[in-house]
Amino acid sequence: MSSDDMHGAASAPEAGRGLAAADRVPLYLFGLTLLVIVAFVAGVAQFEATECSGPEDGECDMAAFGGIFWALCAFTAGVVAIVVAEVVRAVRRRTGRAPAGVR
């Protein structure tokens, strides 16, 4: 009997294999939502700093569109990152290679 069997560390079928897909989805949604909000605020701030700082006050009313553009770019990058992470995960699972740090 191994030490893992005695302590129950490896008795669960998913032990050491990371989170299940149903557990990853809410984390992905939370992270993506947070990324989009931060990108929107950063886009608005950047637009206001560059376009509203003139003697005629520039186009300050367009700052929301700058934020929306940044948010859309962040959303697209986040979705691509999630897809790449899931593809890498599936390939590793299919080839039998465990992620780094997992035995």
Side-chain angles (χ1 to χ4, degrees):
M1 185 179 274
S2 72
S3 64
D4 285 340
D5 291 336
M6 291 187 327
H7 298 292
S11 61
E14 291 293 319
R17 302 194 65 118
L19 294 173
D23 296 331
R24 288 190 309 271
V25 170
L27 293 175
Y28 286 147
L29 290 175
F30 175 75
L32 196 55
T33 302
L34 189 62
L35 177 68
V36 167
I37 291 170
V38 168
F40 177 78
V41 171
V44 168
Q46 189 274 339
F47 192 91
E48 287 178 347
T50 58
E51 299 296 325
C52 297
S53 60
E56 65 278 342
D57 287 332
E59 295 289 328
C60 293
D61 55 342
M62 300 295 287
F65 290 114
I68 290 171
F69 176 74
W70 278 45
L72 287 173
C73 291
F75 178 79
T76 304
V79 169
V80 168
I82 290 169
V83 169
V84 168
E86 287 298 314
V87 168
V88 167
R89 183 180 192 84
V91 168
R92 285 184 177 168
R93 186 176 27 238
R94 186 169 294 168
T95 60
R97 289 181 23 209
V102 176
R103 294 179 143 195

